[in-house]
Amino acid sequence: MILIDNHSRVPIYQQVKEQIIMLINTGVYKPNDQLSSIRNLSKELDINVNTIKRAFAELESDGVVYSVQGKGVFVSENPLGNENIAMSALKDVATAVTSAKAMGVTKEQVKNLVDNIYEAGESDD
Amino acid sequence: MILIDNHSRVPIYQQVKEQIIMLINTGVYKPNDQLSSIRNLSKELDINVNTIKRAFAELESDGVVYSVQGKGVFVSENPLGNENIAMSALKDVATAVTSAKAMGVTKEQVKNLVDNIYEAGESDD
Amino acid sequence: MILIDNHSRVPIYQQVKEQIIMLINTGVYKPNDQLSSIRNLSKELDINVNTIKRAFAELESDGVVYSVQGKGVFVSENPLGNENIAMSALKDVATAVTSAKAMGVTKEQVKNLVDNIYEAGESDD
Amino acid sequence: MILIDNHSRVPIYQQVKEQIIMLINTGVYKPNDQLSSIRNLSKELDINVNTIKRAFAELESDGVVYSVQGKGVFVSENPLGNENIAMSALKDVATAVTSAKAMGVTKEQVKNLVDNIYEAGESDD
DNA sequence: GTGGTCTAGACCACA
DNA sequence: GTGGTCTAGACCACA
């Protein structure tokens, strides 16, 4: 259910984080559902255990999941209630847009790009 | 004329690159103008010489400036003609926006952010 | 597999760049193959790490290779698609030939030289 | 009579050398003719005296000119008899062509370039 | 272990 | 004085 792009510049732990959030966003995972175990995910995706651990640790500190020792990792009651997730993503957008503006990119070019990205997934909503 | 944020995640050589492009964008530096020498910038900004050199080397390979041994570094005839600069900046925006979308950020939030960033410099144009 | 001439006027990072391109040209390295790590090459060739890094950084900005943090450096899908590489090499040839012409070298002398250089590698193809 | 391109990557002393050889090649300067003085050339071309001195010193060591203390610099009896001039120019061509070959440039591309360069000056011969 | 950034400092070519 | 190359070594992010 999770696809990793090894060629991407986006860190793998980040890709794992994003895809789990997306699975929650789309209702595949619901509150208190148990996620795949760290070791299972590590085997399935052929990713180092430490990389999965980091993704889960950050999801937990963002309040998206909670872990129960000896049981596993579960989706929180209100997984997307924490605004920090969106905020940190927006901060990255701000950095990239500010830089693009400095490089001579116009507002229209950026907005067209944003439209394209959001339209791409329209059929999924 | 150049301001460096040592705490930023954006590499210093990248900040130097962007600010020089911005100075050209705003007409402060014109084609064939000589830039501050590498050593002067290094002293003024209190940055290692090699960091400035890297910024200048990338600007040169992007066609923004040209260097003449023993003379100095000068703005190219057509400094912003190379589309690669804008393209690579746009690619970074695409990555950040895609990620933000996955994190639950709405199209409106992104667009508002873009507006704010572009309006910020409106008085300078 | 890479030979460096320390006495040559050609910068070492340039020699490394050219030889890696040659290894790709001759099919030794194929798309998505992983290159020797920066540290390994540095030890093997007894060259400073930063010199290798510069060669790799330029190869990456030319689109010949891509790097993945924590993984390594890999050959691009279309490593020789970027015409800039050939173009900048041709520019250097133009400069040298123009100068030779001014020095009284005849067209025949230049062409014989070119034939010799291209025949040298004929047995390798 | 001498034109310097400050934007060129070719060192200025090299440009001065080449142009003086060209003036001899085309018969403007004949054996035992006196060249412009170093100081005159320096003023005319707005080039540092040391740069002209270096050009003249290399021309003398190549046997193209000879200097007489207190009198000036003169064209040698057999200014282009020294094969070293052509040889060193050919060496530079060899370096550039070898590099271009490594970068994937074909023999035909190089030969076309050579033809273009030699045809360009055909009307001058 | 892998690449990325940065510093400090040496030596060279050119003007 | 100006840029160009190279070395040695530190510290960080990621896997």
Side-chain angles (χ1 to χ4, degrees):
Chain A
M1 265 178 352
I2 291 180
L3 292 174
I4 297 302
D5 178 4
N6 279 302
H7 291 25
S8 168
R9 290 235 176 162
V10 180
I12 291 175
Y13 75 88
Q14 186 79 12
Q15 292 185 46
V16 172
K17 272 183 70 178
E18 286 178 19
Q19 301 218 16
I20 288 175
I21 290 176
M22 203 144 51
L23 289 171
I24 294 171
N25 255 337
T26 55
V28 177
Y29 280 133
K30 303 207 175 71
N32 298 313
D33 277 1
Q34 180 168 8
L35 299 181
S36 238
S37 80
I38 288 180
R39 282 185 188 107
N40 269 352
L41 269 181
S42 170
K43 274 179 207 155
E44 276 176 36
L45 304 177
D46 193 25
I47 291 175
N48 189 291
V49 184
N50 289 321
T51 306
I52 308 283
K53 271 186 188 160
R54 173 157 183 190
F56 276 38
E58 297 202 2
L59 284 170
E60 184 160 15
S61 91
D62 285 340
V64 178
V65 303
Y66 62 92
S67 62
V68 181
Q69 265 247 348
K71 289 257 182 100
V73 174
F74 303 83
V75 177
S76 299
E77 200 62 58
N78 185 13
L80 301 175
N82 189 334
E83 291 184 348
N84 289 333
I85 305 166
M87 278 304 289
S88 84
L90 260 183
K91 223 195 245 170
D92 289 344
V93 173
T95 302
V97 171
T98 303
S99 169
K101 184 189 169 197
M103 300 305 197
V105 175
T106 67
K107 179 154 66 161
E108 281 64 42
Q109 286 176 303
V110 175
K111 287 203 162 179
N112 284 341
L113 180 69
V114 173
D115 283 333
N116 288 337
I117 290 170
Y118 274 90
E119 276 159 22
E122 218 156 57
S123 52
D124 299 357
D125 294 357
Chain B
M1 268 174 356
I2 291 178
L3 293 174
I4 298 302
D5 176 4
N6 278 303
H7 295 19
S8 167
R9 286 221 178 176
V10 180
I12 293 175
Y13 74 86
Q14 188 77 16
Q15 293 185 46
V16 172
K17 271 184 72 177
E18 286 178 18
Q19 302 216 17
I20 288 176
I21 290 176
M22 203 142 52
L23 288 172
I24 293 172
N25 256 337
T26 55
V28 177
Y29 281 133
K30 303 208 176 72
N32 298 313
D33 277 1
Q34 181 167 6
L35 300 180
S36 235
S37 83
I38 289 179
R39 285 188 181 88
N40 268 352
L41 271 180
S42 170
K43 274 179 208 156
E44 277 175 35
L45 306 177
D46 195 25
I47 293 173
N48 185 280
V49 185
N50 287 321
T51 304
I52 308 283
K53 275 182 185 168
R54 171 156 186 193
F56 276 37
E58 296 203 0
L59 284 171
E60 181 160 18
S61 93
D62 283 341
V64 178
V65 303
Y66 63 90
S67 64
V68 182
Q69 251 214 354
K71 287 266 185 86
V73 173
F74 304 82
V75 177
S76 297
E77 200 62 58
N78 186 14
L80 301 174
N82 191 333
E83 291 184 348
N84 290 332
I85 304 168
M87 277 304 290
S88 83
L90 260 182
K91 226 193 244 170
D92 289 344
V93 174
T95 302
V97 171
T98 303
S99 168
K101 183 190 169 196
M103 299 305 201
V105 174
T106 67
K107 180 154 65 162
E108 281 62 42
Q109 286 175 301
V110 174
K111 287 204 163 180
N112 283 341
L113 179 68
V114 172
D115 282 333
N116 288 337
I117 290 170
Y118 274 89
E119 275 159 22
E122 219 157 56
S123 52
D124 300 356
D125 297 355
Chain C
M1 270 183 345
I2 290 180
L3 293 174
I4 297 302
D5 177 4
N6 279 303
H7 295 19
S8 167
R9 286 221 177 176
V10 181
I12 293 175
Y13 74 86
Q14 187 77 14
Q15 293 185 46
V16 173
K17 271 184 71 177
E18 287 179 16
Q19 301 217 17
I20 287 175
I21 290 178
M22 202 144 51
L23 288 171
I24 294 173
N25 256 337
T26 56
V28 177
Y29 281 132
K30 303 208 176 71
N32 297 314
D33 278 2
Q34 180 167 7
L35 300 180
S36 236
S37 83
I38 288 179
R39 284 188 182 87
N40 269 352
L41 271 180
S42 171
K43 274 180 208 153
E44 277 176 34
L45 305 177
D46 194 25
I47 292 173
N48 186 281
V49 185
N50 287 321
T51 304
I52 308 282
K53 274 181 185 167
R54 171 156 184 193
F56 277 38
E58 296 204 0
L59 284 170
E60 183 161 17
S61 93
D62 284 340
V64 176
V65 303
Y66 62 91
S67 64
V68 182
Q69 251 214 355
K71 287 265 184 85
V73 174
F74 304 81
V75 177
S76 297
E77 202 61 59
N78 185 13
L80 302 175
N82 189 333
E83 292 185 347
N84 290 333
I85 304 167
M87 277 304 290
S88 83
L90 260 183
K91 226 194 244 171
D92 289 344
V93 173
T95 302
V97 172
T98 303
S99 168
K101 183 190 169 196
M103 299 305 199
V105 174
T106 68
K107 179 154 67 161
E108 281 63 42
Q109 286 176 301
V110 174
K111 288 203 161 178
N112 283 341
L113 179 68
V114 172
D115 282 333
N116 288 337
I117 289 169
Y118 274 89
E119 276 158 21
E122 219 156 56
S123 51
D124 300 358
D125 295 356
Chain D
M1 265 169 4
I2 291 179
L3 292 175
I4 298 302
D5 178 4
N6 279 303
H7 291 24
S8 168
R9 290 234 177 165
V10 180
I12 291 177
Y13 77 88
Q14 187 79 12
Q15 293 185 45
V16 172
K17 271 183 70 178
E18 286 179 18
Q19 301 218 15
I20 287 176
I21 290 176
M22 202 144 50
L23 289 172
I24 294 173
N25 255 336
T26 55
V28 177
Y29 280 134
K30 302 205 176 76
N32 298 313
D33 277 2
Q34 180 168 7
L35 299 180
S36 241
S37 79
I38 289 180
R39 282 184 188 110
N40 269 351
L41 270 179
S42 169
K43 276 179 205 156
E44 275 175 37
L45 306 176
D46 194 25
I47 292 174
N48 189 291
V49 184
N50 290 321
T51 306
I52 308 283
K53 271 186 188 162
R54 173 158 183 190
F56 276 38
E58 297 202 3
L59 284 170
E60 183 161 14
S61 91
D62 284 340
V64 177
V65 303
Y66 62 92
S67 62
V68 181
Q69 265 249 349
K71 288 257 183 100
V73 175
F74 302 83
V75 177
S76 299
E77 198 63 56
N78 185 13
L80 301 174
N82 189 333
E83 291 185 348
N84 290 333
I85 305 166
M87 279 304 290
S88 84
L90 260 182
K91 224 195 244 171
D92 289 345
V93 173
T95 302
V97 172
T98 303
S99 168
K101 184 189 168 196
M103 299 307 199
V105 175
T106 67
K107 178 154 67 163
E108 282 63 43
Q109 287 175 302
V110 175
K111 287 203 162 178
N112 283 340
L113 179 69
V114 173
D115 282 333
N116 288 337
I117 290 170
Y118 274 91
E119 276 159 20
E122 219 157 55
S123 51
D124 300 356
D125 296 356

